[in-house]
Amino acid sequence: PTLVLKEITSKKYLSKIKLRLKEKNINFISIQSVFFGFKPSIKLNKNETKEIIKYFKKIIKFANYLKIKKINIGSAPFRKIKMSPAALFDYNLKLFSIFSDIALSSNIKVNIEPISKKYKNLFLNNFFDVYDFVKKKLKKKNVKIVLDTGNCDLEKKNFKKIYRKYHKIIDHIQISEKNLRKIDINKIEKILLFLKKENFNKTVAIEYLNAEGKKINLLNKIIKKNNF
């Protein structure tokens, strides 16, 4: 995302991206990790939100240009600020409320991804943290949840039980592993088959880090074979 957003205000740059996507026959449905690599120019505190909001507006502009209607927010500097838990909660509640209103003006959904403490994240570490925040505190119609299989493993939560009980508020599923460079093709296929059986009809992403993309062809084969 940070590579894409460097020149987001440039229509020439955006047009270039759009052309490349058309050439490759790629359609964006959602974008995620939108704050990954974002580094505020000043130290964040409970009163500093302007730079983050300005950056989020750029994300919305990018999404609008490519007709993307779903933004998934995971790791972000404002979820790593060292302050009291109560202050961190209030700060993020204020921010996500603003994000929701900005996104709603463009008819865009915002989904929040739980991020484990393993990644130095201090706020919303597992699905139930996010659920309580979204459902009981934030209460915004256009804010839903990302269910991440890798996060469930790290936090020792049962992915299938969570899905079956809370599927109405889950708008995006991310299939991942504790180690993003090592993915289990058979495990992925079983999860996709489970979601198909449960009639999940929203977006699914497979998170995988490999410069050579060695397993992409295998992933494509199981997707085509099972008509996902």
Side-chain angles (χ1 to χ4, degrees), residues 14-200:
L14 287 169
S15 298
K16 191 175 179 181
I17 293 172
K18 200 170 188 177
L19 181 61
R20 287 293 300 276
L21 292 172
K22 188 176 180 180
E23 287 172 353
K24 299 292 183 180
N25 195 28
I26 296 173
N27 291 315
F28 280 169
I29 299 172
S30 66
I31 50 175
Q32 63 190 61
S33 303
V34 290
F35 280 96
F36 182 78
F38 169 68
K39 295 179 181 179
S41 61
I42 61 172
K43 187 176 180 179
L44 295 179
N45 59 62
K46 64 181 180 180
N47 298 313
E48 177 50 50
T49 60
K50 288 182 181 179
E51 192 170 352
I52 294 170
I53 292 166
K54 182 180 178 181
Y55 186 82
F56 186 74
K57 286 179 178 178
K58 288 185 177 182
I59 294 166
I60 292 294
K61 180 176 180 179
F62 174 77
N64 274 328
Y65 188 80
L66 294 176
K67 299 179 180 178
I68 296 165
K69 292 299 178 183
K70 187 180 297 189
I71 294 172
N72 304 323
I73 298 178
S75 184
F78 46 86
R79 292 172 67 176
K80 298 179 179 181
I81 308 171
K82 292 181 180 179
M83 57 174 70
S84 73
L88 186 61
F89 186 97
D90 290 343
Y91 181 79
N92 276 272
L93 184 63
K94 178 182 177 181
L95 266 184
F96 277 104
S97 182
I98 294 169
F99 291 166
S100 169
D101 292 343
I102 294 169
L104 188 62
S105 66
S106 296
N107 195 29
I108 290 173
K109 286 183 184 178
V110 174
N111 296 322
I112 303 176
E113 176 189 350
I115 303 291
S116 175
K117 288 182 180 178
K118 174 185 174 181
Y119 302 105
K120 298 180 181 180
N121 186 67
L122 303 175
F123 184 66
L124 305 180
N125 299 123
N126 61 60
F127 177 87
F128 298 105
D129 291 343
V130 181
Y131 178 83
D132 287 346
F133 179 74
V134 170
K135 192 75 175 176
K136 300 176 184 179
K137 297 295 181 179
L138 191 58
K139 298 178 182 178
K140 296 283 189 176
K141 289 182 178 179
N142 67 324
V143 179
K144 304 294 181 184
I145 303 176
V146 175
L147 178 58
D148 186 311
T149 63
N151 177 265
C152 287
D153 290 341
L154 282 168
E155 298 291 320
K156 295 180 170 56
K157 308 297 181 186
N158 189 298
F159 164 76
K160 290 183 179 179
K161 284 184 179 179
I162 290 173
Y163 173 81
R164 287 188 172 121
K165 186 171 182 179
Y166 300 99
H167 62 90
K168 288 184 179 179
I169 200 169
I170 296 167
D171 194 60
H172 180 80
I173 289 177
Q174 184 164 284
I175 302 173
S176 65
E177 296 281 353
K178 293 178 183 178
N179 184 342
L180 295 178
R181 298 185 185 280
K182 294 182 180 180
I183 58 172
D184 185 334
I185 295 293
N186 291 328
K187 183 179 177 181
I188 290 171
E189 186 171 18
K190 287 177 182 177
I191 293 170
L192 290 172
L193 286 169
F194 166 77
L195 295 174
K196 186 176 182 180
K197 185 179 179 182
E198 294 291 325
N199 296 312
F200 182 71

